[in-house]
Amino acid sequence: MKGFAMLKIGATGWIEKEIPACGPLDAICKPLALAPCTSDVHTVWAGAIGDRRDMILGHEAVGEVVEVGALVKDFKPGDKVLISAITPDWNAYASQEGYSMHSGGMLAGWKFSNFKDGVFAEYFHVNDADGNLAHLPENMDLGAACMIADMVPTGFHGVELADIQYGDNVAVIGIGPVGLMSVAAAAIRGAANIYAVGSRKNCADLALEFGATHIVNYRGGDIVEQILDLNHGPVDKIVVAGGNNDTFDQAIRMLKAGGKIGNVNYLGDGDYVKIPRVEWGCGMGHKQILGGLMPGGRLRSEKLARLVMTGRIHPERLITHTFRGLENVEPALMLMKDKPRDLIKPLVLMD
Ligand code: NDP
Ligand code: ZN
């Protein structure tokens, strides 16, 4: 089979590999739709997970099952499926403790294009199929379905980590596809004011559509001042879905005592994160920071699919560029790398 791979840090290309073998609990799928992710860009061009040689990229897919292992109960060849980007081992200790994304070691629930070949191929392997696949609802838009792999669960996880409750005033820092889904999740949770921080116009427009009440442009001045001013004081909760290491400094400064920060952003630079001592209450301000890899799994995919099918969220609105054919994962990934200002998320539909 052919797949689009990271050849080494900074280099990509098409390679030939054997179709993966199917263990007793596993499934082999072929893609129906694929999407490149900012994380693929970090993996290849920032060396975010270290060197990988000839590893097929991609972790966002909707697929069709072509083979299942002897112990798989609920899926069979021909089934169309949602597939989590994170595919934990559900019987691991970490999973039993509620941290399935860290089953096998910190962040090790992230297997596609990390510890094994990813989904940008004619076929790919899914471990623990009964726990990590979900049936694709009939008539579900394939773009929305593909966003359930990663963008929706990650954006929603930021809101879970920040523990957003009804009536909270909330800042969402970063409104790329992930942060936009955090805005949608904050609105569903009943947030009051939602300050969405970004600079691209189409992202700002979509943020307002998804429930943001204010747009804050970080290129137009200090976001701390802007948000403290708009909110007449510190906010209750903050989701970090973009920015850089300085973002925590800013977040602590605009957060009330007892407030919570949920981070889903990948921190790619530097050795330390700076926390401003006085604004953190000299260590006694009860300002919590939780950062997390999204949880994967079937139950979560099914619940998020329900939100799509009942019209409560519209993740297909993230897709600004649509390609056709597996060969077009390459230009789609390059688009993600170059990030033209009209891009939110590309989608590749199979022929
Ligand atoms: P994008 O690059 O599309 O979006 C980043 C957002 O951050 C944009 O709105 C951008 O603004 C904004 N931003 C950039 N610099 C600043 C700044 N200095 N201050 C405030 N805002 C800023 O990324 P994605 O939405 O695709 O992904 C977001 C992050 O989530 C990435 O780091 C990704 O790796 C990570 N991720 C994490 C996962 C997890 O499980 N935890 C899973 C998937 C992704 P604009 O472009 O408008 O100028
Ligand atoms: Zn992703």
Side-chain angles (χ1 to χ4, degrees), residues 23-347:
L25 294 167
D26 308 340
I28 304 300
C29 297
K30 63 177 186 183
L32 297 173
L34 296 168
C37 178
T38 303
S39 305
D40 293 307
V41 174
H42 292 150
T43 298
V44 179
W45 287 282
I49 56 173
D51 199 11
R52 296 287 191 281
R53 299 290 165 121
D54 297 340
M55 178 189 70
I56 294 173
L57 288 163
H59 51 265
E60 300 184 17
V62 187
E64 182 179 320
V65 176
V66 295
E67 185 183 352
V68 291
L71 299 178
V72 173
K73 293 196 281 293
D74 296 339
F75 297 90
K76 58 182 188 318
D79 285 352
K80 294 185 171 155
V81 286
L82 301 164
I83 304 142
S84 287
I86 305 300
T87 52
D89 298 315
W90 288 99
N91 56 5
Y93 279 132
S95 303
Q96 294 184 25
E97 285 177 320
Y99 293 98
S100 59
M101 65 294 273
H102 304 302
S103 58
M106 188 162 67
L107 309 181
W110 173 20
K111 295 183 170 35
F112 288 128
S113 67
N114 186 4
F115 296 116
K116 67 175 187 184
D117 284 322
V119 299
F120 292 171
E122 289 176 274
Y123 300 95
F124 55 88
H125 167 270
V126 182
N127 60 291
D128 216 340
D130 281 322
N132 288 318
L133 297 176
H135 289 284
L136 177 71
E138 222 169 296
N139 301 323
M140 185 180 226
D141 176 90
L142 281 185
C146 201
M147 297 302 103
I148 289 181
D150 188 357
M151 297 299 94
V152 184
T154 299
F156 273 57
H157 194 45
V159 164
E160 290 167 326
L161 293 171
D163 187 28
I164 291 173
Q165 305 288 336
Y166 62 83
D168 280 343
N169 289 326
V170 172
V172 177
I173 303 178
I175 45 168
V178 170
L180 284 166
M181 293 319 305
S182 299
V183 169
I188 285 180
R189 281 262 181 126
N193 288 296
I194 302 177
Y195 305 99
V197 180
S199 79
R200 280 176 279 165
K201 182 175 182 313
N202 59 352
C203 294
D205 290 346
L206 199 51
L208 290 170
E209 212 177 289
F210 283 1
T213 53
H214 303 75
I215 302 298
V216 174
N217 188 339
Y218 66 94
R219 295 176 196 261
D222 181 14
I223 64 170
V224 180
E225 274 175 31
Q226 293 188 66
I227 291 175
L228 288 177
D229 190 34
L230 287 167
N231 195 53
H232 308 295
V235 295
D236 301 297
K237 308 283 169 59
I238 298 174
V239 177
V240 180
N244 50 42
N245 286 8
D246 292 335
T247 307
F248 286 100
D249 185 339
Q250 296 172 317
I252 291 287
R253 291 176 196 276
M254 63 171 100
L255 186 70
K256 73 170 192 188
K260 295 179 184 174
I261 297 170
N263 177 72
V264 286
N265 193 35
Y266 159 77
L267 298 176
D269 304 305
D271 292 323
Y272 297 96
V273 173
K274 209 168 59 176
I275 305 294
R277 181 181 61 82
V278 173
E279 288 79 359
W280 202 43
C282 304
M284 298 177 288
H286 289 101
K287 297 190 183 186
Q288 298 179 40
I289 304 173
L290 271 178
L293 180 67
M294 70 156 234
R298 177 178 182 174
L299 176 66
R300 193 171 173 87
S301 294
E302 287 180 357
K303 286 194 171 191
L304 295 172
R306 274 182 224 158
L307 290 177
V308 173
M309 296 311 286
T310 51
R312 292 191 186 275
I313 56 171
H314 300 278
E316 70 285 353
R317 302 275 290 115
L318 300 175
I319 295 156
T320 49
H321 296 66
T322 302
F323 296 82
R324 283 195 175 268
L326 178 63
E327 66 280 7
N328 280 316
V329 294
E330 182 171 7
L333 179 65
M334 296 309 160
L335 198 64
M336 208 65 193
K337 175 173 178 258
D338 297 341
K339 289 243 162 101
R341 288 186 70 78
D342 65 342
L343 175 80
I344 302 182
K345 190 82 181 176
L347 179 75

